Amino acid sequence: MSRLSILIGDDHALLRSGLKKILVEHEQWTVVGEAGDGRAAVQLYLDLEPDVALLDIGMPLLNGIEATRQIVRRRPDARILILSMHANEAYIVQALGAGAKGYLLKDSADTELVQGVEAVAAGRSYFSPAVSKVLLDDYVRRLTDKGLTDRYDTLSEREREILQLIAEGRSNKEVATVLGVSPATVETHRAHIFEKLDVHNTAELVLYAVRRGVIS
């Protein structure tokens, strides 16, 4: 397992201690900093530039979503995993829009925390299974209530492949390498996917993919 530096931002010292205990069981993982509020988390991130940041959504002085937004604005490649007690779509949408790579429920099993950190560290998206289920159930309910057709069926096989790869957090260049095509071709497919699904940015695309069950 590769070496990782991790920042924990949460206003509960006991929870920070519990998270740290789980994380440092991996010999190659190091918790390089701990913050008790959002402003401190932003400053520590900028000072330490960890590989992954775990940020509580409900921190004082500056909440986790705004802290994420400020970090990503300064460090666009930041890999942030939001911690929350709520499997609430509004929070999830805001977290993705702010630039978070994943959303983990605080009552998740230890294995989910480890999986989440590994995924985000690798540049992929991660959502607690319970979060994915909530989004998928809500998506299906909305389609049923409105009598809508799932636009996923309008995508070509190649577009579906690219949708999944983008939703997993891969760049156009990485997608191009996986599929053996040029980045320009990927960008063209990406534009078609956005148009067909009526999404306007990557955050909306990731949310759609989780709702649809394309990624978990």
Side-chain angles (χ1 to χ4, degrees), residues 96-116:
L96 289 172
K101 294 291 187 181
Y103 194 98
L104 181 73
L105 295 181
K106 286 188 175 182
D107 61 359
S108 298
D110 295 358
T111 53
E112 289 180 31
L113 172 64
V114 172
Q115 290 169 359

Side-chain angles (χ1 to χ4, degrees), residues 109-156:
D110 295 358
T111 53
E112 289 180 31
L113 172 64
V114 172
Q115 290 169 359
V117 170
E118 288 178 333
V120 170
R124 302 192 304 273
S125 301
Y126 183 85
F127 299 88
S128 290
V131 170
S132 298
K133 185 178 187 306
V134 166
L135 291 176
L136 179 57
D137 288 349
D138 184 65
Y139 176 68
V140 171
R141 179 184 57 77
R142 290 187 184 190
L143 287 178
T144 301
D145 289 350
K146 296 181 179 180
L148 298 175
T149 301
D150 189 348
R151 299 185 180 190
Y152 185 77
D153 295 331
T154 68
L155 300 180
S156 68

